[in-house]
Amino acid sequence: MPDPLFAHGVDLGAVVIVAVKVLVAFGVLLVSVMLAIWFERKVISDMQNRIGPNRAGPYGILQTLADGIKLFFKEDLLPDQADRFVFKLAPYLALLPALLIFTIVPVGGVVTIAHHTVELQVADPAVGILFLLALSSVSVYATMLAGWSSGSKYPLLGSIRASAQMISYEAAMGLTIAMVVIVTHSLSTRTIVDSQAASFFHWNIFRLGILPFPLFAVAVTAELNRPPFDLTEGEQELVGGFHTEYSSLRFALFYLAEFMNTITMSAVMVTLFFGGPDGPGFHFVRWLWPILWFAGKTVVFMYVYVWIRAALPRLRYDQLMELGWKVLIPLSLVWLLVVAAFRVGTVWGLGVFFGGVIVGSALWQAVLVGRARREVLEASRAGRRGANDSYLRAVPEPDGGE
Amino acid sequence: MTPPPTTALVTPEELAGVVAGRVAGGERFAGLFATAQDDGSTVIRALLARHGSLDIVQAALMPGRDRYPAITPLVPPAAWYEREIHDLFGIEPVGHPSLDPLLVPVHPTQHWRPRPGTSRPGEAVRLDFDTSPLSSRVAGQGLFTIPYGPVRSGVFESVEYLVETFGEDIPYLRSRVHYKHRGIERRFGELGVDDGVLLAERVEGTAAVAHALAYCQALEALGAIHVPRRAGLVRVVHAELERVASHLDSVARQTEGAGQAVAYARITLHKERVQRLRSQLCGHRFGRGVVVPGGVAGPLSAASDEALRTLRALERGITDDARALMDTPSFLDRLRHTGVVSPAAAASHGALGPVGRGSGLGEDVRSDRPYGAYSLLGFQPAETSEDGDALARQQIRLDEITTSFHLIREALDELGEEDADGPWRLPMQPVEGIGLGWVEAPQGELVYLVEAEAGRLKRVKQRSASFHNLALFPQAFGGDILTDFVFIEASFGLSISGVAG
């Protein structure tokens, strides 16, 4: 279904409305980033028994603004070894997808303004979901190019890790989104939201059988490089990750992009799985309730992100890759088959489900046997090594220091 | 009081053979150091630990002689000690596989050496440092060196780790500690015995009490003094609180490495409370000024029932958080099989402290060569583990924290029953000769060799566990990748100031 705003052609009113929507979305997003950073710092300090920011403004709410102004006036450094053009380009590539993805998120219901039917979202392209997938891939470029163009080892390593991680998790993310598309029959985010509106149990999280949502949430968290998947910025071993060499405004842009991405992806989760702006409303100021529902659900996910950050330890790189390739992708692939089979018929669905369970457990048994074998092998190898080279390794290597 | 050390005199040519023979006979190589004499000769002493005693094997190099057959080819753990001797004395252990500068990176053309032990006064010397970057040891496509430090985020001391890597695997790692070298050993030679303890306390901030204790015990051994019982108990309280703080720091750094914000905050909070308790008990957060030659400076400055109450709350908090931490599978996954020091490697190197105990070496000086009030309190060493990974070391540390609390409680109980007016310290008479003092510092066995002449210090050599264990550090990187670095570093829990001296 095309955007109803353009149903009667593009007139001046439609152009003005679109312009206003763009400006409002941009403004709201920027302000909410400021609030999100404050919210995250405040909540995590509470979890750590600290007070957190409390100087600038009431409850420190203006702290982010103060930090932003400070960053703005800092020296803008350009490393000697940097590829100047790409180095300057990368921060914008990081910011842009976060902004653009938000444009397709339905933040409210449908209202009528000056005889125009207006959907409360910046744009409702028919290929909305493809747009989402395309842009989330663009943010990989930002990370990759930022690290590569810095001409330094730490950012390079950070960006290689980051891009490998993002590409790996994109597969699982895409598969779970495909399930949403299968049940809703549409790539348009508005249609996806509308199809969930009938009742609470029509939300995709229930219609898809709960599992796809956690898969999506994990994949998105990895995609965003948020803790516990923040290896790219694991300060300990890589100093600061891919943006080590960035300072001043360009660093601020990365920071902004990171939090904007968090907000956008929380909003996308609400859209895809939790009915978007759907929720009980009242008879006065009807247009307001969907917006409040949407905002409320998004804030809940923002909180969950902070909670996860406080609670979970960072994964090791190989554990992260294992989780992506050995758990998320197979699970989402099987579940996609199950969802598709249920579209054909219940019998088919149940058949594929139980078939999946049987084949899956057989495979799991095989993996367990393999692991036990490997452990035995490794133990014997380690024993041999320990006995053989205890002398060799204790002596400093032929010309070595230690 | 510890018995005087038995000293075997050998010639420089025999030294390597004798040390190797005794190590093969089951003794543990515990250190090697030199002392310059005023007549230009140099005495080299090797320390060998047996259950219950620490022996010296001694060889003298005549004036003008600056070479001797190296011990390292026969006893590999001596490698760093011989590099140190080469740096500080300009003496060349012939046959040593690599004499890279360790503590004083002077340019090869410069011949001045500190030579601690001589009584000539300190002099101002302009040193030409060799600051050229080290060449890489491993060659291959895509291989490069990442320098960590000497100033890097997350590192707490001035040390440089050069990690040679393809990106994730770490085939080779070197550490350069000379940034932290402060010339402590020369400084000792300019002090009187009473002032020496002040310097000893400042060698390693995280083991201030242990250093003071080892230094004082060496002097007390020389002067044949039995420290008053109550002073011994106060020493135990402070030494064990120091251990708790240091172990908590190691655990906190692991949680920080894993990005566990809440666990990190809670454990550092516990550590802070321990430091405040120490400050309440003696007026200093690191316990400086407590241990003095002959006893302690005075009684605990807080009532022991009040201290007991704080302790109980602390112990409960730490136990709860440790349990929650050890129940977090994804955190344990970071530690398991990370930084494995195989029991064979640990045994051949003689790994000390929690690193050794994590790899199956049960040695704990507090029970093997009991000192002070430990034998009185019935100390039992914690169980060892054979796993040798970061998780084993963390478990050992958590167990030791429990043991420490137990010891502190017992010591406080005993102190409560003590007579109100007795001496806290005994007067020290001027001492002569060579004394050894040893302590189980938080990082492991700490040894002090004190040589005194007419009330002045001639030579003081401190051998911290960090020095001995750091040489083992690169070997823990067998199958590990870059992201494990922080865990391996934190689980070793080393103090670079102790290494660099």
Side-chain angles (χ1 to χ4, degrees):
Chain A
M1 192 168 51
D3 197 331
L5 185 59
F6 310 120
H8 309 292
V10 180
D11 55 4
L12 182 66
V15 170
V16 170
I17 288 172
V18 168
V20 168
K21 283 204 286 193
V22 167
L23 285 177
V24 169
F26 188 66
V28 167
L29 207 49
L30 282 184
V31 172
S32 51
V33 166
M34 194 182 99
L35 293 178
I37 295 175
W38 169 80
F39 177 76
E40 171 145 354
R41 292 182 64 178
K42 234 15 194 179
V43 170
I44 205 157
S45 0
D46 218 30
M47 289 178 176
Q48 288 175 296
N49 264 338
R50 295 188 287 123
I51 295 167
N54 67 344
R55 296 286 139 182
Y59 300 102
I61 202 165
L62 296 179
Q63 185 63 45
T64 318
L65 198 63
D67 287 343
I69 293 171
K70 183 197 73 176
L71 274 177
F72 191 81
F73 285 109
K74 282 194 146 188
E75 189 186 355
D76 187 19
L77 297 169
L78 196 76
D80 280 346
Q81 303 277 313
D83 184 311
R84 306 175 78 87
F85 174 70
V86 181
F87 187 79
K88 289 177 181 168
L89 175 73
Y92 299 100
L93 278 183
L95 194 61
L96 221 60
L99 273 171
L100 289 181
I101 290 176
F102 196 78
T103 58
I104 60 160
V105 173
V107 296
V110 179
V111 295
T112 308
I113 301 171
H115 308 297
H116 289 82
T117 311
V118 179
E119 292 173 340
L120 289 183
Q121 67 189 89
V122 177
D124 178 21
V127 293
I129 291 299
L130 296 183
F131 184 74
L132 163 75
L133 289 174
L135 283 173
S136 76
S137 310
V138 169
S139 55
V140 181
Y141 284 97
T143 312
M144 183 76 219
L145 292 178
W148 172 78
S149 68
S150 298
S152 161
K153 290 162 193 164
Y154 306 100
L156 184 65
L157 272 181
S159 74
I160 289 173
R161 271 191 205 171
S163 34
Q165 170 183 342
M166 289 162 102
I167 291 167
S168 309
Y169 279 85
E170 215 157 70
M173 191 179 87
L175 285 171
T176 40
I177 293 181
M179 297 178 214
V180 174
V181 174
I182 286 178
V183 289
T184 54
H185 296 277
S186 173
L187 292 169
S188 148
T189 46
R190 174 59 62 180
T191 319
I192 289 176
V193 165
D194 286 345
S195 79
Q196 299 178 65
S199 86
F200 185 62
F201 290 101
H202 275 77
W203 286 5
N204 279 341
I205 178 165
F206 300 115
R207 282 203 290 183
L208 288 170
I210 313 276
L211 184 69
F213 171 67
L215 295 181
F216 182 77
V218 172
V220 162
T221 313
E223 188 75 9
L224 292 178
N225 294 325
R226 290 254 339 167
F229 303 109
D230 60 336
L231 276 85
T232 50
E233 292 159 45
E235 289 161 37
Q236 302 290 325
E237 65 259 15
L238 289 177
V239 188
F242 62 90
H243 52 51
T244 304
E245 300 289 348
Y246 281 89
S247 64
S248 183
L249 203 57
R250 283 187 243 281
F251 174 75
L253 285 179
F254 274 118
Y255 204 67
L256 191 69
E258 190 180 321
F259 277 88
M260 203 179 276
N261 264 318
T262 312
I263 298 175
T264 306
M265 281 303 173
S266 302
V268 167
M269 269 192 232
V270 171
T271 306
L272 294 181
F273 291 97
F274 290 86
D278 177 43
F282 298 95
H283 288 295
F284 51 100
V285 271
R286 278 165 188 265
W287 58 272
L288 184 65
W289 303 108
I291 297 180
L292 288 184
W293 275 113
F294 169 80
K297 290 175 193 173
T298 309
V299 169
V300 168
F301 282 111
M302 300 285 301
Y303 178 82
V304 171
Y305 271 129
V306 182
W307 187 10
I308 288 176
R309 174 176 165 184
L312 293 181
R314 194 180 294 132
L315 267 76
R316 205 170 69 181
Y317 191 61
D318 51 338
Q319 293 166 345
L320 173 97
M321 283 299 176
E322 275 190 23
L323 180 68
W325 287 100
K326 296 186 183 168
V327 179
L328 287 193
I329 292 180
L331 260 184
S332 45
L333 201 57
V334 170
W335 207 257
L336 178 72
L337 288 179
V338 172
V339 169
F342 267 106
R343 292 303 306 174
V344 179
T346 314
V347 180
W348 277 96
L350 289 174
V352 170
F353 178 76
F354 286 112
V357 168
I358 292 165
V359 174
S361 36
L363 275 175
W364 181 239
Q365 275 303 319
V367 168
L368 284 185
V369 170
R371 271 196 197 158
R373 276 276 172 79
R374 194 182 64 186
E375 264 165 30
V376 171
L377 263 177
E378 268 178 6
S380 68
R381 206 176 298 151
R384 264 207 311 279
R385 193 179 70 193
N388 283 343
D389 67 6
S390 61
Y391 171 76
L392 267 180
R393 303 204 73 186
V395 180
E397 308 223 351
D399 54 352
E402 285 72 30
Chain B
M1 194 203 70
T2 50
T6 51
T7 303
L9 297 175
V10 297
T11 65
E13 283 72 26
E14 293 166 347
L15 184 65
V18 170
V19 172
R22 290 179 65 159
V23 168
E27 295 183 38
R28 176 171 60 80
F29 176 79
L32 180 78
F33 18 83
T35 302
Q37 309 289 337
D38 283 333
D39 62 4
S41 64
T42 310
V43 177
I44 296 177
R45 295 189 176 93
L47 284 184
L48 291 157
R50 263 183 304 162
H51 186 79
S53 77
L54 203 55
D55 297 341
I56 297 177
V57 178
Q58 178 176 328
L61 291 180
M62 289 302 110
R65 197 173 155 192
D66 60 357
R67 296 155 75 83
Y68 74 96
I71 300 178
T72 307
L74 302 176
V75 185
W80 277 37
Y81 294 93
E82 296 201 310
R83 282 169 69 191
E84 185 190 19
I85 289 174
H86 181 242
D87 276 6
L88 295 183
F89 297 86
I91 289 172
E92 188 193 343
V94 180
H96 192 287
S98 158
L99 284 172
D100 278 355
L102 181 68
L103 299 186
V104 193
V106 287
H107 209 264
T109 54
Q110 185 153 26
H111 294 295
W112 182 87
R113 289 291 188 275
R115 292 179 62 78
T118 48
S119 60
R120 68 194 151 93
E123 59 205 295
V125 178
R126 191 187 155 75
L127 289 181
D128 290 330
F129 283 113
D130 185 6
T131 51
S132 54
L134 292 181
S135 57
S136 50
R137 300 286 193 203
V138 189
Q141 183 145 30
L143 209 92
F144 55 97
T145 306
I146 299 186
Y148 280 156
V151 182
R152 97 182 141 90
S153 73
V155 85
F156 301 91
E157 287 183 278
S158 318
V159 58
E160 185 181 29
Y161 295 109
L162 294 154
V163 184
E164 293 179 30
T165 174
F166 304 100
E168 290 296 353
D169 287 323
I170 303 177
Y172 200 79
L173 175 110
R174 268 179 294 177
S175 44
R176 296 214 277 186
V177 299
H178 58 74
Y179 301 95
K180 193 90 187 196
H181 182 65
R182 295 154 293 169
I184 296 262
E185 290 173 31
R186 260 320 285 261
R187 183 79 183 112
F188 265 122
E190 297 160 8
L191 299 175
V193 286
D194 283 341
D195 294 341
V197 68
L198 299 177
L199 187 57
E201 282 173 339
R202 279 153 183 83
V203 176
E204 266 179 289
T206 52
V209 176
H211 273 267
L213 205 51
Y215 172 81
C216 291
Q217 283 176 4
L219 283 180
E220 286 150 13
L222 266 182
I225 285 183
H226 286 280
V227 174
R229 187 172 167 246
R230 55 203 314 215
L233 291 168
V234 171
R235 285 176 169 188
V236 167
V237 171
H238 282 289
E240 293 305 316
L241 280 174
E242 180 173 84
R243 190 182 322 280
V244 173
S246 170
H247 283 2
L248 283 178
D249 185 61
S250 161
V251 177
R253 280 165 62 190
Q254 312 236 44
T255 55
E256 190 194 13
Q260 263 184 316
V262 171
Y264 175 69
R266 293 191 69 99
I267 289 168
T268 41
L269 185 65
H270 291 315
K271 187 194 163 194
E272 176 60 24
R273 287 190 177 132
V274 174
Q275 302 290 56
R276 288 187 186 177
L277 176 64
R278 293 170 72 186
S279 158
Q280 255 178 27
L281 291 177
C282 71
H284 195 286
R285 290 161 55 86
F286 292 93
R288 283 180 185 157
V290 171
V291 183
V292 292
V296 291
L300 297 175
S301 48
S304 70
D305 52 336
E306 190 191 325
L308 270 173
R309 240 194 331 276
T310 319
L311 264 180
R312 235 172 260 129
L314 252 174
E315 191 178 2
R316 212 170 23 244
I318 293 173
T319 316
D320 286 352
D321 284 347
R323 192 177 303 136
L325 196 60
M326 297 306 267
D327 274 347
T328 309
S330 49
F331 174 64
L332 300 186
D333 279 350
R334 297 299 308 266
L335 305 185
R336 199 172 284 128
H337 306 314
T338 296
V340 178
V341 178
S342 69
S348 84
H349 188 79
L352 303 172
V355 179
R357 289 193 277 278
S359 297
L361 298 182
E363 203 166 321
D364 188 321
V365 186
R366 288 175 290 175
S367 60
D368 286 357
R369 279 172 271 137
Y371 54 89
Y374 283 105
S375 43
L376 189 76
L377 296 172
F379 165 75
Q380 288 296 322
E383 292 207 358
T384 62
S385 163
E386 295 276 321
D387 297 340
D389 54 4
L391 181 61
R393 293 192 277 276
Q394 166 149 310
Q395 186 61 57
I396 298 272
R397 285 204 173 85
L398 291 175
D399 291 349
E400 285 189 20
I401 289 176
T402 314
T403 319
S404 292
F405 275 121
H406 186 69
L407 283 170
I408 298 167
R409 266 202 313 272
E410 274 191 52
L412 286 175
D413 281 347
E414 295 274 330
L415 269 173
E417 293 163 13
E418 282 283 316
D419 199 4
D421 35 51
W424 289 99
R425 65 184 292 189
L426 297 176
M428 290 286 297
Q429 306 302 327
V431 288
E432 291 272 343
I434 296 177
L436 284 175
W438 50 75
V439 162
E440 185 73 20
Q443 294 85 5
E445 177 198 64
L446 167 69
V447 180
Y448 261 71
L449 176 139
V450 177
E451 193 173 347
E453 264 176 12
R456 300 211 47 93
L457 297 170
K458 175 174 156 55
R459 168 88 166 115
V460 175
K461 171 68 205 179
Q462 81 282 358
R463 200 298 319 272
S464 82
S466 299
F467 184 90
H468 197 82
N469 281 352
L470 188 64
L472 193 64
F473 186 58
Q475 292 188 41
F477 282 85
D480 295 306
I481 58 176
L482 217 49
T483 47
D484 296 322
F485 186 91
V486 53
F487 296 99
I488 303 177
E489 192 192 15
S491 72
F492 265 65
L494 303 179
S495 149
I496 300 302
S497 0
V499 181

